[in-house]
């Protein structure tokens, strides 16, 4: 259950950051394509989640 909650938290954080970037870009007249932005946000989410899991595993191994 811990991993599910971490994945959900990472997903929500990525979405909030992505919305902020889209709002800023739209205010400045820059249109972002959905496909590249979606791919980049998915990859970023996976990297952040894997980093969190590795940190947790290191903590568990040290104890």
């Amino acid at each position: 259950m811990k991993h599910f909650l971490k994945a959900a938290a990472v997903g929500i954080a990525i979405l909030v950051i992505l919305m902020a970037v889209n709002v800023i870009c739209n205010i400045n007249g820059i249109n972002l394509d959905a496909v590249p932005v979606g791919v980049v946000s998915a990859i970023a989410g996976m990297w952040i989640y894997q980093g969190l899991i590795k940190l947790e595993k290191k903590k568990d191994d040290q104890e």
Side-chain angles (χ1 to χ4, degrees):
M1 190 67 171
K2 290 190 304 183
H3 294 289
F4 178 74
L5 293 176
K6 284 184 183 179
V10 169
I12 291 169
I14 293 291
L15 287 175
V16 168
I17 293 169
L18 185 59
M19 282 193 287
V21 168
N22 277 325
V23 167
I24 292 169
C25 288
N26 285 339
I27 288 172
N28 292 323
I30 301 169
N31 293 325
L32 299 176
D33 291 331
V35 174
V37 170
V39 170
V40 169
S41 63
I43 291 171
M46 287 188 293
W47 281 345
I48 293 169
Y49 176 72
Q50 286 177 351
L52 288 174
I53 297 303
K54 284 182 183 178
L55 286 175
E56 180 183 346
K57 191 172 185 175
K58 283 183 183 178
K59 276 186 178 179
D60 290 342
D61 289 343
Q62 289 177 354
E63 292 177 353

